[in-house]
């Protein structure tokens, strides 16, 4: 597709969707995703592109995202759950329809970067972890996740998702089922291999 062969135009389209702080975050995720992909053997170009596109709809009005999700028959539990998750699912739809991204690996990485899921692909894990550890992130525990990401991607992701689950519980917010199954999947796999 013409848009994706022209990096300047792609960056301009992405930049137009978000405010400055979100754009800086996006560039950080793309950089971190490329680095993690190189470290763990995922495709660095796909990782970088998924990182660039992961928050494409993040700054859109929730009404617009809701309309997209309803039109594409998203699950009721998503539509009735936390609106913070909508941008990932809407984003995967929008980048396919508006930008012509058809690579299923990239679309899945964008779709599941906030929730995770059981049986995540390497690229999905890379983008999800990159979203947590990109250089502009600053929250309690981020350095521990960054350090872990240098030697064990699954352990870093389990720690990150566990922290998210704990945060949601403390705030008395619902935990999306895919996040729980992603965490359980990572921990049970590691348990069989000898622990996280």
């Amino acid at each position: 597709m013409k848009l994706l062969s022209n990096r300047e135009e792609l960056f301009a389209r992405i930049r137009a969707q978000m405010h400055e702080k979100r754009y800086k975050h996006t560039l950080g995720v793309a950089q971190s995703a490329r680095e993690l992909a190189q470290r763990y053997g995922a495709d660095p170009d796909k990782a970088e592109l998924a990182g660039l596109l992961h928050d494409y709809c993040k700054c859109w009005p929730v009404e617009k995202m809701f309309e997209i999700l309803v039109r594409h028959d998203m699950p009721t539990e998503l539509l009735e759950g936390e609106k913070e998750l909508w941008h990932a699912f809407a984003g995967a739809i929008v980048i396919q329809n508006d930008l012509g991204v058809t690579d299923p690996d990239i679309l899945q990485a964008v779709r599941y970067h906030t929730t995770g899921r059981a049986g995540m692909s390497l690229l999905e894990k890379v983008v999800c972890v990159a979203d947590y550890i990109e250089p502009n992130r600053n929250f309690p525990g981020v350095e521990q996740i960054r350090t872990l990401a240098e030697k064990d991607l699954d352990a870093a992701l389990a720690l990150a998702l566990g922290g998210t689950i704990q945060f949601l519980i403390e705030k008395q917010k619902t935990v999306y089922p895919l996040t729980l199954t992603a965490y359980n999947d990572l921990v049970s796999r590691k348990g069989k291999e000898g622990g996280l």
Side-chain angles (χ1 to χ4, degrees):
M1 168 180 185
K2 182 175 183 270
L3 174 64
L4 297 181
S5 63
N6 181 338
R7 280 181 73 85
E8 284 181 27
E9 190 179 347
L10 175 63
F11 278 80
R13 284 287 293 272
I14 294 166
R15 176 68 189 89
Q17 306 306 316
M18 55 191 70
H19 53 71
E20 189 60 34
K21 187 176 179 186
R22 181 59 49 184
Y23 185 62
K24 275 182 70 176
H25 164 72
T26 294
L27 296 179
V29 173
Q31 172 194 332
S32 296
R34 176 172 274 284
E35 291 167 3
L36 288 171
Q38 289 168 334
R39 179 180 298 272
Y40 290 103
D43 184 315
D45 292 334
K46 285 186 182 185
E48 181 181 32
L49 184 56
L52 286 170
L53 297 172
H54 83 287
D55 273 354
Y56 194 79
C57 294
K58 178 78 173 181
C59 298
W60 287 20
V62 291
E63 298 81 13
K64 188 174 179 180
M65 288 188 275
F66 183 78
E67 186 181 302
I68 292 165
L69 296 173
V70 168
R71 209 169 45 235
H72 288 85
D73 297 321
M74 288 291 129
T76 303
E77 63 191 2
L78 176 65
L79 298 173
E80 293 176 354
E82 293 297 324
K83 294 174 179 63
E84 279 293 308
L85 306 178
W86 290 359
H87 73 281
F89 291 83
I93 295 164
V94 170
I95 64 170
Q96 182 172 12
N97 294 341
D98 294 2
L99 302 182
V101 176
T102 57
D103 187 310
D105 297 334
I106 294 170
L107 294 173
Q108 295 288 78
V110 170
R111 182 174 290 114
Y112 297 112
H113 82 268
T114 53
T115 61
R117 66 180 180 122
M120 292 173 78
S121 70
L122 178 57
L123 185 65
E124 289 170 41
K125 292 175 186 178
V126 160
V127 174
C128 194
V129 171
D131 191 27
Y132 277 98
I133 68 167
E134 64 93 3
N136 301 295
R137 286 286 202 201
N138 183 19
F139 59 86
V142 70
E143 287 304 330
Q144 188 180 1
I145 300 168
R146 284 187 180 121
T147 301
L148 208 46
E150 292 177 11
K151 55 185 181 225
D152 189 332
L153 188 66
D154 283 4
L157 183 53
L159 182 62
L161 291 173
T164 295
I165 292 166
Q166 184 177 354
F167 173 81
L168 292 170
I169 290 169
E170 286 170 2
K171 297 286 182 188
Q172 295 187 334
K173 293 189 167 210
T174 58
V175 179
Y176 194 62
L178 286 182
T179 306
L180 289 171
T181 58
Y183 176 80
N184 289 342
D185 183 52
L186 288 163
V187 171
S188 68
R189 285 173 191 255
K190 280 297 191 183
K192 291 172 188 164
E193 296 167 12
L196 282 170

